[in-house]
Amino acid sequence: FDTSDDAGVYRLTPEFYYGLSDQLELGLYLLTTKQPGRSFMFDGPKARLKFIAPHDETAGAFWGLNLEVGKTSLRVSQQPWGTELKGIYGYRWPRWLLAVNADLDWESTSPFGGPATLGVDTKLAYATDAGYQVGFESYNELGAPREPGQFRDRSQTLYAVLDTELGPKLDLDAGIGRGLTTASDRWIVKFILGIHY
């Protein structure tokens, strides 16, 4: 749910994924948007391939790579093709989680075409005795790696988030975000519901 304008925009993105192995995962996003007074509109698919190196899932460092390629409508992007390469690094303590993602994005008329832009996303979360995590997520666009723009001219959003399991095969990631610059959406509310088979 995006309230960047007076009317607001709703985004619904079903994601399907399949584990090819313990380290490699194949996924598919189906992007849709809805504006008040209109039906949901399909904005295109995105394919995803994610690799996470073997690691201890309860403590210590972990790292991986995530590649996404998709062709979307102009409601989502100014260019039809979008490609993102994400580097993933994180560290777990008994209570705390710190994760950092470095993103390279290309938007063009073809995959990997045009100049790349850089973004850095971070997450800091704390595991409570009640069995859920609370924390903050930060999403920051930095611009072209060779010519980074002014911080205030790029989208910067800070979220307060909650992660929890609703059952043995159901989990929830919910958050409310506030844009920190004039280039950012003012408020964003997100719900990610995961169903495992």
Side-chain angles (χ1 to χ4, degrees), residues 19-25 50-55 57:
L20 300 173
S21 70
D22 290 341
Q23 286 78 47
L24 200 60
E25 182 180 280
K50 180 167 69 174
F51 168 79
I52 299 294
H55 63 283
E57 295 187 4

Side-chain angles (χ1 to χ4, degrees), residues 61-183:
F62 61 91
W63 68 273
L65 293 170
N66 186 80
L67 175 66
E68 296 179 8
V69 180
K71 189 174 184 181
T72 59
S73 74
L74 295 179
R75 290 184 297 274
V76 175
S77 172
Q78 296 180 353
Q79 297 289 344
W81 281 96
T83 305
E84 177 184 295
L85 180 62
K86 183 190 302 287
I88 302 167
Y89 180 81
Y91 198 95
R92 288 187 178 92
W93 291 268
R95 290 277 191 175
W96 292 92
L97 166 70
L98 175 64
V100 179
N101 294 339
D103 307 324
L104 281 175
D105 291 287
W106 295 264
E107 291 185 356
S108 184
T109 55
S110 62
F112 294 104
T117 58
L118 177 66
V120 176
D121 309 328
T122 60
K123 178 170 185 169
L124 179 65
Y126 176 79
T128 69
D129 290 331
Y132 57 84
Q133 287 186 341
V134 293
F136 295 96
E137 295 176 358
S138 176
Y139 295 83
N140 307 285
E141 295 180 1
L142 303 181
R146 294 183 180 179
E147 299 177 2
Q150 296 291 327
F151 191 80
R152 64 180 178 273
D153 297 330
R154 302 290 179 177
S155 177
Q156 321 289 334
T157 306
L158 180 66
Y159 285 85
V161 295
L162 180 147
D163 300 300
T164 187
E165 293 182 356
L166 302 178
K169 295 186 177 181
L170 194 65
D171 53 52
L172 173 69
D173 173 14
I176 181 167
R178 172 66 172 173
L180 305 179
T181 64
T182 56

